[in-house]
Amino acid sequence: MTMATGVDAALLLDRLVSASNTEDVGSSLEQIWKALRSEQLSASEVLLEPQVLTALLEVLQTDSYKNLKIEDGRVAAARIYLELVKDNIDLLLTEPSEGRLLETCIDAAADAELPSYPRVLTLQILQKLCQSRLSQNQLLSAPNGLHRLGDLLSTDDPQVRNEALLLAQRLSQFASISKIWMFSEVGDVVMNIAMAEGGLTNGNILV
């Protein structure tokens, strides 16, 4: 994709990698997201830079970069990933290392101490990633991954629960995961939610 006039991809991405203060990191993340959304920056230009992917993952995982605490860093990184993942699912499942993004998203989604919004965004990333069959083995290998995702179906946070239900619907297409969840009573949780919302036909449309 041709870059729009006035946007230098190399300069924009290097600003994030070389950032030395909180303001520069936050500003760089915001500019990268806006450039991706406006198609002034292509996903491929970001994905070709391993240092940028490593930086994004660090922010998503720790809410910080180079030990600099970034205000709403997870949200900023997650919004960028939601742009990148649209047409690059398999690559993001393997770069910068296999399964790392998926596990990071599970960790954030399952962290009850985080606000709703970053948890919702990471669940939306997981929904995209799990369109690929490559995600199945990574989910099975993630430490307590399926159990922690299943627990989200019982959360009191309706936004997180709804996104978890959407993810569960997608994961149910994988026979091995459906079998594990059946024996861990996730199916019962879904049915209980449906009945609490008024039944399968009149209740929550996500169930």
Side-chain angles (χ1 to χ4, degrees):
M1 181 181 296
T2 303
M3 293 291 295
T5 303
V7 177
D8 185 321
L11 185 62
L12 183 60
L13 298 175
D14 182 67
R15 186 183 175 198
L16 172 62
V17 173
S18 60
S20 58
N21 59 66
T22 298
E23 291 74 19
D24 277 353
V25 177
S27 175
S28 296
L29 292 170
E30 181 75 9
Q31 289 182 32
I32 290 170
W33 175 64
K34 286 182 177 179
L36 285 167
R37 290 200 72 192
S38 63
E39 298 187 348
Q40 293 180 299
L41 177 69
S42 69
S44 61
E45 287 170 307
V46 179
L47 295 169
L48 286 171
E49 298 292 338
Q51 287 182 300
V52 174
L53 291 180
T54 299
L56 290 173
L57 196 58
E58 182 179 341
V59 177
L60 186 65
Q61 189 169 26
T62 66
D63 221 18
S64 61
Y65 180 55
K66 297 179 179 177
N67 295 319
L68 298 169
K69 186 69 174 177
I70 313 302
E71 184 177 0
D72 293 325
R74 279 193 183 90
V75 169
R79 292 193 302 180
I80 291 172
Y81 272 115
L82 281 170
E83 294 298 319
L84 297 177
V85 78
K86 290 177 180 177
D87 299 306
N88 304 282
I89 296 172
D90 286 353
L91 191 150
L92 286 170
L93 283 168
T94 57
E95 297 293 338
S97 61
E98 187 168 352
R100 210 172 143 205
L101 174 58
L102 186 138
E103 288 190 21
T104 297
C105 288
I106 293 175
D107 289 342
D111 189 345
E113 295 185 4
L114 292 181
S116 296
Y117 192 39
R119 298 176 73 193
V120 164
L121 291 177
T122 51
L123 282 165
Q124 290 175 351
I125 296 170
L126 284 168
Q127 290 165 26
K128 297 291 187 182
L129 292 174
C130 292
Q131 291 177 23
S132 169
R133 299 198 71 81
L134 286 179
S135 65
Q136 184 174 189
N137 287 337
Q138 294 183 12
L139 286 162
L140 294 171
S141 300
N144 250 355
L146 291 178
H147 176 75
R148 288 186 292 158
L149 291 175
D151 284 346
L152 294 179
L153 299 175
S154 302
T155 182
D156 292 331
D157 186 321
Q159 292 177 302
V160 173
R161 186 189 67 180
N162 284 346
E163 294 297 336
L165 279 165
L166 288 171
L167 177 60
Q169 287 177 341
R170 183 164 298 283
L171 296 184
S172 67
Q173 299 172 21
F174 298 136
S176 58
I177 291 176
S178 294
K179 188 179 297 185
I180 291 171
W181 270 358
M182 180 178 67
F183 286 109
S184 64
E185 301 180 349
V186 170
D188 290 341
V189 173
V190 173
M191 289 299 295
N192 289 337
I193 292 171
M195 298 310 297
E197 297 288 346
L200 290 173
T201 55
N202 298 320
N204 189 329
I205 192 171
L206 298 180
V207 177

